[in-house]
Amino acid sequence: MAAQRTSAPAAVAPALPVLGGKKSSYRERVADALRAALIAGELRPGEIYSAPTLAARFGVSATPVREAMLDLVKEGLVDTVPNKGFRVTAVSEKQLDEYTHIRALIEIPTVVGLATTADPVSLEALRPAAREIVRAAAAGDLIAYVEADTRFHLGLLALAGNAHLVEVVGDLRGRSRLYGLTALLEAGRLTASAEEHLELLDALTARDKNAVREVMTRHLGHVRGLWAAK
């Protein structure tokens, strides 16, 4: 079954094992890739995508895609369209503003606090994910960029020891849209933005709370600008 409307991806999606990392199921890896594509704006609001079409795009079978999309339905990210597939739900600018505001209220003080409480070894364990974000940016792979970015930020917040906080931020990130990633990539500025993650880790390991606050505030400001560029 073909999709009712199609959008050409900005970049070829990578293999799912690279995207998913160590997850408990293949279905979760597929869901991670689809969620990242949605956040990056490669799956557009209002458009209908069939499971076979998405499966061909990501190089997997239709069954795990269909199951993963049903998971995204439960999260409110897509709606089912009988006999056609799945429609990506639209998010208003007001909603995106609210998501970013809530994230700032949660993430900035939490990460600043990690400058004095986080174990240096645990912080360094996040550096490979930060480097993966930079590599994805350099390769122009927006889906891998979003997936690695999510893994980095949620892993960082997890060091605060509040699982519910991580869950809330993860939900907010999943509902956000970063349509401006393509424009940033085309302008040659995505790598510079990606390197903020390494800058943040350096500030944290240096126990520099002021620098951590500055980087986090700047970084979330960029997020707000990214979703606005449609």
Side-chain angles (χ1 to χ4, degrees), residues 151-192:
R151 189 165 64 252
F152 173 87
H153 283 285
L154 296 187
L156 181 61
L157 291 173
L159 299 183
N162 188 329
H164 186 62
L165 180 150
V166 176
E167 181 180 351
V168 169
V169 173
D171 179 70
L172 290 170
R173 291 179 63 92
R175 295 177 184 277
S176 298
R177 303 290 187 271
L178 301 177
Y179 301 132
L181 280 176
T182 298
L184 204 62
L185 174 63
E186 292 173 349
R189 295 164 48 207
L190 187 59
T191 298

Side-chain angles (χ1 to χ4, degrees), residues 1-87:
M1 177 174 62
Q4 180 174 304
R5 297 160 61 191
T6 59
S7 294
V12 177
L16 287 176
V18 175
L19 284 173
K22 295 181 179 179
K23 300 292 181 179
S24 60
S25 72
Y26 187 68
R27 172 175 173 168
E28 287 182 354
R29 295 203 298 274
V30 174
D32 281 347
L34 292 169
R35 191 181 292 106
L38 187 151
I39 294 169
E42 294 194 9
L43 300 182
R44 303 294 293 191
E47 299 209 8
I48 298 175
Y49 299 89
S50 71
T53 297
L54 290 172
R57 177 169 168 175
F58 286 91
V60 297
S61 64
T63 297
V65 169
R66 188 175 293 106
E67 293 174 344
M69 290 298 278
L70 290 174
D71 289 340
L72 299 189
V73 169
K74 295 176 183 177
E75 296 175 23
L77 304 182
V78 299
D79 296 320
T80 56
V81 180
N83 302 317
K84 293 183 178 180
F86 303 89
R87 179 187 290 114

Side-chain angles (χ1 to χ4, degrees), residues 75-151:
E75 296 175 23
L77 304 182
V78 299
D79 296 320
T80 56
V81 180
N83 302 317
K84 293 183 178 180
F86 303 89
R87 179 187 290 114
V88 177
T89 57
V91 183
S92 70
E93 292 188 1
K94 183 176 185 297
Q95 287 174 306
L96 290 166
D97 266 335
E98 291 172 348
Y99 297 159
T100 306
H101 183 211
I102 296 170
R103 283 187 58 190
L105 291 174
I106 295 174
E107 293 186 62
I108 292 176
T110 300
V111 176
V112 169
L114 291 175
T116 56
T117 63
D119 173 27
V121 174
S122 298
L123 290 172
E124 283 302 314
L126 293 170
R127 198 168 291 276
R131 288 173 177 153
E132 184 177 342
I133 298 170
V134 176
R135 285 195 298 271
D141 190 334
L142 301 185
I143 297 178
Y145 181 98
V146 170
E147 199 277 340
D149 180 74
T150 298
R151 189 165 64 252

